[in-house]
Amino acid sequence: MLSVIVPTYNERDNATELIRRTLAAFDRIEEPVELLIMDDDSPDGTSAAMIEAAAAHQAGERVRVITRTTDKGLAKAVAAGFSAARGDVLAVMDADLSHPPEQLPALLGAIREGADVAVASRYVPGGGTEGWPLKRRIISRVACWLAKPLTPVKDSTSGYFALRRECLEAVDFVPRGYKIGLELFARLPGRRTVEVPFVFRDRTRGTSKLGGAVILAYLVQLGALYRARFPRLVGYLQFGLVGLLGMAVDSATFGLAYWYVGLEALGPTLGGFFAQTLSFLVAARFNFALNRLWTFRERRNHARMSVFLAVSLAGFAMRSLLFEFIVNLPPPAAGGFWAAIVHTLTIEQIALILGVLLASLWNFYGSRRW
Ligand code: GDD
């Protein structure tokens, strides 16, 4: 059985066409089907309009309208639809007819032929968009491109897809963000996925909810998915970013203490020593706090400043030793790979880069581990 879940918010004007075209598509499907309208109690009376349209077409059991009054939101509405659905195949589709219901038989067909997930795709041959301004086309392409490392699906932000219910049971699905499809595709690596082309025709009635807040929510969702998929790489990048911020804090503290507060009066040796010690401690404290809250937030209760300092000092020692070792290496033989690098950069620059790399990796793994 196929269950088609349509989340709605202020889609009253699309009710008649949506019900009519979806029921017509159902007539081409040779197995039980149902349409679930998951409305978040839209102020424009979407629920009533859908019930009326379903009654006009004598839809009976084939259309269910569920009005949600609590815990609202697109992803939650879809998740509630998954729970209420009776089918072994679940599809998600928009109400505004930008996702043509006529593609439902093809999506279901792909699943019945063996796919686990079938995505209606704008970005495979035969697919496309119509009536989109350049800005929206660019946003869509960039959004898909950003999700590339997470899923082989070309149109990963397509909100139109079908999947076997068992896929859903196998993943830790979190109903969040705006892109439920991506949330699922990224958590289902290795599943048989097929993309069925479709042409996205922009809505003619009602308004799209795509705006700055939706884009921001998408980026937050992407961040969480990357973190779940590549925890070490993302953690290392976060750690690096915190380190860069720490450098800024370090320099600012030094400047304040030395020039503004007046440690300069003690002279460069003593004044410099005090200002540097202070700025190092402030920056270390800052880095520790930010890493605890952000980079290693899952383990924040185990964080200890003393351990963080010990790891950082060991990293500093490693970095210094590696620097010494590299700058004292015998000069490279002419013509080799090493010589070419030394020709481009000075030996001190190479030693510095490798030292910083080694220390940052050590600091990251050490801080993560302990
Ligand atoms: N229940 C509920 N609650 N439904 C919602 C909510 C909500 O808070 N917000 C939006 N919806 C419904 C809309 O009524 C519509 O049926 C569907 O979710 C998609 O919302 P739109 O506002 O039409 O989305 P869009 O035009 O920004 O985005 C479209 O394009 C994307 C591709 O670029 C959608 O088709 C996306 O699914 C698609 O990924």
Side-chain angles (χ1 to χ4, degrees):
M1 177 179 188
L2 168 70
S3 298
V4 180
I5 292 143
V6 175
T8 56
Y9 196 73
N10 287 346
E11 301 286 1
R12 180 189 61 198
D13 295 344
N14 288 309
T16 310
E17 274 300 281
L18 174 75
I19 300 286
R20 186 186 68 75
R21 283 175 57 183
T22 307
L23 290 177
F26 281 1
D27 287 342
R28 290 170 35 227
I29 295 175
E30 287 165 358
E31 60 178 275
V33 273
E34 64 173 355
L35 170 65
L36 274 91
I37 304 289
M38 304 303 297
D39 186 54
D40 275 358
D41 202 13
S42 305
D44 76 345
T46 301
S47 288
M50 294 285 180
I51 292 171
E52 200 179 307
H57 285 89
Q58 281 130 28
E61 286 271 287
R62 289 183 300 165
V63 178
R64 283 196 277 156
V65 179
I66 298 178
T67 309
R68 307 171 66 249
T69 51
T70 52
D71 209 17
K72 295 183 181 183
L74 174 55
K76 293 198 172 130
V78 174
F82 287 153
S83 307
R86 292 180 287 221
D88 62 314
V89 176
L90 309 168
V92 179
M93 184 175 84
D94 281 359
D96 58 9
L97 299 161
S98 54
H99 295 164
E102 292 72 25
Q103 286 299 89
L104 286 168
L107 289 175
L108 179 64
I111 302 258
R112 292 294 178 228
E113 275 165 26
D116 291 310
V117 183
V119 184
S121 175
R122 296 160 294 181
Y123 303 133
V124 291
T129 53
E130 242 176 45
W132 268 18
L134 182 66
K135 183 176 147 204
R136 182 142 188 202
R137 289 211 300 270
I138 294 174
I139 293 177
S140 172
R141 286 289 186 171
V142 171
C144 287
W145 182 80
L146 286 175
K148 257 187 167 205
L150 295 168
T151 167
V153 175
K154 291 200 174 62
D155 193 354
S156 53
T157 62
S158 164
Y160 192 15
F161 58 90
L163 81 172
R164 290 178 197 274
R165 186 190 278 280
E166 69 213 40
C167 292
L168 204 62
E169 283 155 6
V171 292
D172 189 11
F173 172 58
V174 192
R176 67 171 164 208
Y178 209 65
K179 298 295 168 196
I180 300 97
L182 173 63
E183 189 76 36
L184 289 168
F185 310 152
R187 291 176 190 276
L188 289 168
R191 291 287 184 157
R192 281 160 300 172
T193 306
V194 169
E195 290 188 65
V196 176
F198 89 108
V199 177
F200 187 109
R201 292 199 172 79
D202 210 7
R203 57 162 73 234
T204 50
R205 297 190 183 90
T207 49
S208 159
K209 283 99 199 159
L210 179 72
V214 169
I215 294 177
L216 187 68
Y218 177 68
L219 294 177
V220 171
Q221 186 183 7
L222 264 189
L225 288 172
Y226 268 94
R227 223 176 123 84
R229 177 68 75 79
F230 309 108
R232 288 203 172 75
L233 178 68
V234 173
Y236 181 63
L237 293 175
Q238 286 176 287
F239 193 78
L241 198 63
V242 171
L244 280 180
L245 288 173
M247 272 169 66
V249 170
D250 195 329
S251 317
T253 311
F254 180 91
L256 266 177
Y258 194 73
W259 288 292
Y260 190 73
V261 175
L263 283 177
E264 191 181 12
L266 298 177
T269 309
L270 204 57
F273 172 76
F274 283 132
Q276 290 223 58
T277 309
L278 182 74
S279 65
F280 169 75
L281 288 175
V282 170
R285 182 72 229 176
F286 169 85
N287 283 13
F288 173 74
L290 201 54
N291 278 321
R292 184 174 170 273
L293 283 177
W294 190 45
T295 321
F296 303 123
R297 59 178 179 267
E298 288 87 1
R299 313 152 188 230
R300 73 175 56 158
N301 295 335
H302 305 289
R304 269 168 301 147
M305 176 73 190
S306 53
V307 176
F308 181 70
L309 268 184
V311 169
S312 305
L313 286 173
F316 178 73
M318 281 181 191
R319 177 187 149 171
S320 310
L321 285 173
L322 186 70
F323 186 91
E324 278 306 303
F325 174 74
I326 292 178
V327 294
N328 288 310
L329 282 175
F337 172 70
W338 186 223
I341 292 186
V342 175
H343 184 71
T344 322
L345 298 170
T346 67
I347 193 79
E348 289 84 357
Q349 285 167 339
I350 295 170
L352 180 71
I353 292 169
L354 292 180
V356 168
L357 201 66
L358 174 75
S360 65
L361 281 170
W362 157 262
N363 285 352
F364 172 65
Y365 276 100
S367 303
R368 193 170 193 274
R369 176 90 179 71
W370 295 299

